[in-house]
Amino acid sequence: MALGEIVQIRWATCSASNWTSGAASGVLTFTETCTAGNLLLCIQSRNDDGAAIVTPSGWTVGPTHGTSGSSASLAGAVHWKKSDGTETGVTLSWANEAQGGQVLFLEVDATGLDLTSVHENDDPTIVGVEAHGTGAVTLDVAGGYIVAGFVCDNASGGRYIGSYSDSFEEIGYGSKTAGHACVQLAAKIVSSVGPHECYGTLEPAGFDQGWG
């Protein structure tokens, strides 16, 4: 394995067992026990801005959106942690009833990464246009692994992020054609300090909502 390689990936929508519309929590079981030192990423969404996301125990919350209580909007968050080699699943929860959503988990080879030095920036604004953006991230050392998370409302028309800027590549996604609030992750290995920034283009083109 090498830096950035995906070790395992799991995802579920609101139609899956233990991840149902209106429930207060969901459990995602991994395909195998994680390897100590690897980077664990988890992005979750709910099709309700009032469903405030709760950070799972032992994880660190990254970019997040959704506390205003508007049922016309989206709630979501990116969580991460350095694996201790014992993880076999993750339990996610949220405040208030919601209309369903998705969850995506990835275990990523973190060879050479200092996971005690993490930089975060995000622009989690509901966007009603075709480009969804993330805030710029500048590193304090030359080199690292940059992750960008996106949530798009795909209940009608199956809208999702179809392409990414600045050589970011998609590393995982939930359902792009069914359910609510498609979750997607893109990433790239970088050799410079930056700043680094990722924008996603919505497909099919047209008015919708989402954040990155």
Side-chain angles (χ1 to χ4, degrees), residues 123 133-137 146 148 165-168 188 194-199:
D123 182 19
T134 64
V137 175
I146 310 292
S165 67
D166 198 24
S167 299
F168 276 78
K188 66 181 287 190
H196 304 280
E197 194 165 21
C198 178
Y199 285 89

Side-chain angles (χ1 to χ4, degrees), residues 152-169:
C152 298
D153 187 357
N154 69 335
S156 59
R159 291 189 172 88
Y160 57 92
I161 298 298
S163 60
Y164 303 88
S165 67
D166 198 24
S167 299
F168 276 78
E169 295 185 358

